């Protein structure tokens, strides 16, 4: 499911609404809150830091026996503008987005595309999805990476 957006702060709410709508259509209401928050963080970063006019939000279900929801946001920013998750200072007004993403997503990552960058996150479709967040280190090659990299290679 592709959802094209322009880099307008008002479209962050549009992105959240679209994700919630599509997850309800897919009978995945239980993921709507986390997926909407992840989407909000990814689209906000693309709007604020992507220096781009166009953003592509993509949702996909994949995987077996442990199905996942993949959320990707592609923008036209410089390929070296890859976000890094740092722990924000307590008084900082910004800088919590990727930290929130790390807490919610089963896994996440970035990829360079021929026209910019792609940032992706996965959520387990069934079960709590918190197994990977309970203090265990994430694998750099977790499930969503292959699909996200394929999307990046196809100009995601």
């Amino acid at each position: 499911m592709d959802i094209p957006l322009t880099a307008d702060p008002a479209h962050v709410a549009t992105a959240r609404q679209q994700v919630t709508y599509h997850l309800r259509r897919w009978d995945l209401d239980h993921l709507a809150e986390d997926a909407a928050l992840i989407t909000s963080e990814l689209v906000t970063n693309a709007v604020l830091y992507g220096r781009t006019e166009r953003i592509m939000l993509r949702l996909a279900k994949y995987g077996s026996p442990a199905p996942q929801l993949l959320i990707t946001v592609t923008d036209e920013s410089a390929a070296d503008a890859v976000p890094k998750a740092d722990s924000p200072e307590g008084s900082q007004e910004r800088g919590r987005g990727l930290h929130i993403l790390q807490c919610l997503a089963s896994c996440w990552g970035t990829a360079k595309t021929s026209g910019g960058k792609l940032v992706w996150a996965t959520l387990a479709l069934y079960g709590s999805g918190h197994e990977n967040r309970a203090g265990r280190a994430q694998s750099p090659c977790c499930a969503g990476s292959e699909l996200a990299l394929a999307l990046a290679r196809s100009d995601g």
Side-chain angles (χ1 to χ4, degrees):
M1 174 67 48
D2 291 348
I3 304 166
L5 303 164
T6 58
D8 180 338
H11 287 163
V12 174
T14 301
R16 281 192 310 265
Q17 292 165 352
Q18 287 291 313
V19 166
T20 300
Y21 170 77
H22 288 292
L23 290 179
R24 287 189 176 135
R25 286 187 59 212
W26 292 344
D27 293 324
L28 296 172
D29 298 48
H30 62 286
L31 294 180
E33 189 175 321
D34 284 354
L37 185 52
I38 287 169
T39 299
S40 181
E41 296 302 334
L42 296 180
V43 173
T44 296
N45 281 349
V47 168
L48 292 177
Y49 307 113
R51 297 179 300 276
T52 186
E53 291 184 27
R54 296 181 304 151
I55 297 168
M56 179 61 73
L57 168 63
R58 182 174 283 165
L59 300 175
K61 296 182 287 185
Y62 73 97
S64 179
Q68 301 277 313
L69 172 69
L70 175 67
I71 304 167
T72 69
V73 173
T74 307
D75 65 44
E76 301 166 327
S77 65
D80 62 345
V82 174
K84 294 180 182 84
D86 295 321
S87 294
E89 298 291 325
S91 61
Q92 283 182 303
E93 290 184 24
R94 294 187 181 199
R96 289 175 173 74
L98 292 177
H99 185 70
I100 290 169
L101 177 66
Q102 280 184 312
C103 292
L104 292 177
S106 301
C107 194
W108 75 280
T110 62
K112 296 176 183 179
T113 68
S114 62
K117 74 172 180 318
L118 177 141
V119 183
W120 59 271
T122 60
L123 287 170
L125 292 188
Y126 307 106
S128 69
H130 293 271
E131 296 82 19
N132 291 335
R133 293 184 260 160
R136 285 188 239 155
Q138 291 289 334
S139 163
C141 299
C142 56
S145 61
E146 286 185 33
L147 183 55
L149 292 173
L151 291 171
R153 283 191 290 274
S154 69
D155 290 326

